[in-house]
Amino acid sequence: MSLPTLGPCPPRFVEIKRDIEASYPDFKERVTKAWVDLLDELAKATKDIVEKGQLSIPQVEFTDVATGNLSPETLEDIRKKGCVVIKNVVDDAEASTWKDDLREYVTKNPVLGDPPEDKQFFQLYWTRSQVRARSHPNVLETQAWLNKLYHVKGQKQLNEVDLSVPLSYADRFRMRHPGNQWNAHPPHVDGGAIERWEDKTFRTCFEDILTGNWRQHDPYDLEGRINARSSMYGRQNQASIFRTYQGWLAMSETAPHEGTLKVFPNVILSNAYMILRPFFRPISTNEANFLDAKNWEYDISDPDFPGIYSRDGGFAGPRPETQTHPHLRLEETMISVPKVYPGDMVYWHCDVVHAVEVEHLGNDDSCVMYIPAVPHTPQNAEYISRQKESFLKGIPPPDFPKWEGETSFVGRANVEDIISPIGKRAMGFAVEVV
């Protein structure tokens, strides 16, 4: 078995490993012991994921979210899996109308999209449908609920952080046609690439892993996330804000094998494995014992961070592959989310490994709007202030590729299309919300 890399990572990255080693007492001994324990747990957990398939992905009704009628067991399952399908967030007919309006918008205007010869993924942010969806009270209520799954350990308080106030991060949408191959989104993690190791604040989010105590890792601890630099190199399409969960709203029926989302449904294990993986290498590539913990040894002499690669003047990833992250068994454990209907929403924790199905074997377009959950923090609020100016001008938001945008487009949204007071506040327009 070969071990290709998506790199190359620059030689200086070896200093990141050395800095981490020097930052934690007995680092080599602690993480080596943790690595052996982790691989044993991964072997059991991946087997369970494969056996359960789509049952690994929690599904809840919006009414139960809104009324607080979810059992502690269900909440714990959502936290463990790092993903959830929330049914009936928006009325089916309203969500379907949004799709129809989007179709009209891309027909009337000179839009940018991929692939250029058959546009399906659009560089558009300010359609009426998107603005109305982002400002829909039910959508914002799901985001506030997801934000509040996070917490701060102990009795600490974080000033100017309000998990009950969702902010609205403008992203794009897709209208994927049946019958095509979609190779653009293999398994990956968003929200920071090499930054997870290089930025010392971001690194604190994974401190229990780096001290060898991976079982105590809490991916919902808010403290290190608030000021983490997830975009140190200014790469386009790299989110510079903190999203508790990424998500999308369905505007069509979409089922497995119809171009839907796939996830690795265990955020603690995938975090622990990907954070520790750069510190170990296989002794032998013999397939017979390749996964055996005895075949892996501690090594920080190589600058490679598996799954991290150079892109657009910065770094992208992590992008785990079967060959670079074999213990995740990605060819079997990337689970397609269950069938959704217009108005359903799918959310996944900011650290979850996710992908888009390569094939769409259905009969109709698979249409979703990307709408993540974003809490009110000083750093996020500053971004929303700049994003508001982009909205008013009709140009792409700060994190996205620059072009003249939708300034002159027919049917572009304006402030009147923000359909609720909490929606206005989420988009940076100061209003009193009763």
Side-chain angles (χ1 to χ4, degrees):
M1 179 179 290
S2 61
L3 284 173
T5 62
L6 290 168
C9 289
R12 67 178 178 84
F13 276 14
V14 76
E15 296 302 325
I16 299 175
K17 294 182 181 181
R18 291 173 180 166
D19 178 63
I20 291 173
E21 181 187 57
S23 298
Y24 302 101
D26 305 317
F27 180 76
K28 178 179 178 180
E29 293 75 14
R30 286 174 176 269
V31 297
T32 298
K33 183 178 180 181
W35 179 254
V36 174
D37 181 41
L38 174 62
L39 295 193
D40 180 64
E41 190 64 29
L42 262 175
K44 293 182 285 188
T46 53
K47 182 175 182 291
D48 184 64
I49 290 170
V50 173
E51 290 176 351
K52 290 183 177 177
Q54 288 175 31
L55 295 177
S56 299
I57 299 176
Q59 298 187 71
V60 299
E61 287 286 337
F62 170 73
T63 53
D64 291 330
V65 170
T67 59
N69 192 31
L70 294 173
S71 69
E73 293 77 16
T74 297
L75 291 171
E76 182 56 32
D77 191 43
I78 292 169
R79 288 189 179 98
K80 177 182 177 182
K81 304 299 178 52
C83 55
V84 62
V85 177
I86 306 179
K87 311 288 286 185
N88 299 306
V89 177
V90 176
D91 180 77
D92 289 30
E94 186 170 11
S96 296
T97 297
W98 290 339
K99 179 189 69 174
D100 294 337
D101 290 345
L102 288 174
R103 197 182 304 280
E104 181 179 358
Y105 190 84
V106 301
T107 300
K108 289 184 174 181
N109 295 293
V111 301
L112 292 182
D114 294 301
E117 69 279 4
D118 184 22
K119 295 171 185 163
Q120 301 169 57
F121 184 80
F122 296 92
Q123 301 291 338
L124 299 171
Y125 311 89
W126 308 124
T127 69
R128 287 172 180 158
S129 292
Q130 287 168 293
V131 170
R132 288 169 180 170
R134 293 179 198 133
S135 60
H136 194 288
N138 291 4
V139 172
L140 291 166
E141 188 163 358
T142 68
Q143 294 166 8
W145 173 73
L146 289 162
N147 291 341
K148 287 185 283 189
L149 293 179
Y150 282 69
H151 52 260
V152 180
K153 286 183 179 179
Q155 301 301 312
K156 294 181 181 178
Q157 298 292 324
L158 294 175
N159 294 331
E160 300 181 67
V161 174
D162 192 340
L163 298 177
S164 67
V165 176
L167 299 179
S168 182
Y169 184 74
D171 207 330
R172 296 149 295 185
F173 65 91
R174 76 159 190 256
M175 305 181 76
R176 185 176 173 184
H177 304 162
N180 68 331
Q181 295 285 109
W182 193 293
N183 299 308
H185 297 94
H188 64 284
V189 180
D190 295 320
I194 190 61
E195 290 88 350
R196 292 169 180 268
W197 295 270
E198 186 174 14
D199 179 56
K200 293 187 177 182
T201 301
F202 205 162
R203 190 189 300 171
T204 64
C205 298
F206 312 106
E207 196 157 82
D208 284 327
I209 299 170
L210 293 169
T211 56
N213 300 308
W214 73 266
R215 290 181 181 271
Q216 280 70 56
H217 170 59
D218 182 0
Y220 298 91
D221 184 10
L222 196 62
E223 185 175 4
R225 307 272 179 179
I226 298 306
N227 295 309
R229 293 184 296 168
S230 61
S231 180
M232 294 175 64
Y233 297 91
R235 182 176 67 83
Q236 291 182 341
N237 293 313
Q238 174 68 60
S240 62
I241 66 166
F242 166 48
R243 298 171 289 188
T244 57
Y245 278 76
Q246 293 172 256
W248 51 246
L249 183 144
M251 296 175 289
S252 67
E253 293 185 16
T254 300
H257 309 297
E258 295 180 0
T260 196
L261 179 80
K262 303 177 78 172
V263 296
F264 180 91
N266 192 313
V267 65
I268 293 175
L269 285 177
S270 60
N271 265 355
Y273 183 68
M274 283 202 295
I275 291 297
L276 291 181
R277 173 65 182 87
F279 302 96
F280 294 88
R281 69 174 184 89
I283 299 169
S284 168
T285 57
N286 185 289
E287 297 213 15
N289 68 340
F290 188 72
L291 298 183
D292 194 314
K294 295 178 181 178
N295 186 49
W296 293 76
E297 65 179 359
Y298 179 85
D299 179 22
I300 63 168
S301 64
D302 192 319
D304 183 43
F305 280 72
I308 302 299
Y309 59 103
S310 301
R311 182 177 179 182
D312 300 332
F315 301 92
R319 183 191 288 181
E321 293 185 324
T322 298
Q323 292 171 305
T324 58
H325 295 77
H327 301 88
L328 293 179
R329 296 174 60 189
L330 294 172
E331 71 282 359
E332 302 171 276
T333 57
M334 291 298 294
I335 305 300
S336 298
V337 299
K339 184 173 182 176
V340 295
Y341 296 86
D344 295 345
M345 296 197 73
V346 178
Y347 287 103
W348 58 101
H349 184 284
C350 57
D351 292 338
V352 159
V353 180
H354 59 286
V356 177
E357 290 180 333
V358 172
E359 293 185 319
H360 179 356
L361 304 178
N363 297 316
D364 301 304
D365 287 351
S366 170
C367 302
V368 304
M369 274 191 251
Y370 296 100
I371 308 178
V374 177
H376 189 285
T377 72
Q379 182 173 286
N380 286 352
E382 188 276 332
Y383 178 89
I384 295 301
S385 177
R386 291 186 289 128
Q387 178 185 268
K388 179 182 74 171
E389 297 306 312
S390 299
F391 167 57
L392 293 174
K393 295 175 182 177
I395 61 176
D399 280 344
F400 294 92
K402 303 299 182 286
W403 62 291
E404 59 269 25
E406 302 162 67
T407 304
S408 61
F409 280 17
V410 176
R412 177 168 65 90
N414 55 41
V415 176
E416 286 68 35
D417 291 300
I418 305 175
I419 63 175
S420 67
I422 58 172
K424 286 186 170 65
R425 181 171 65 179
M427 290 185 66
F429 295 91
V431 295
E432 289 295 324
V433 178
V434 179

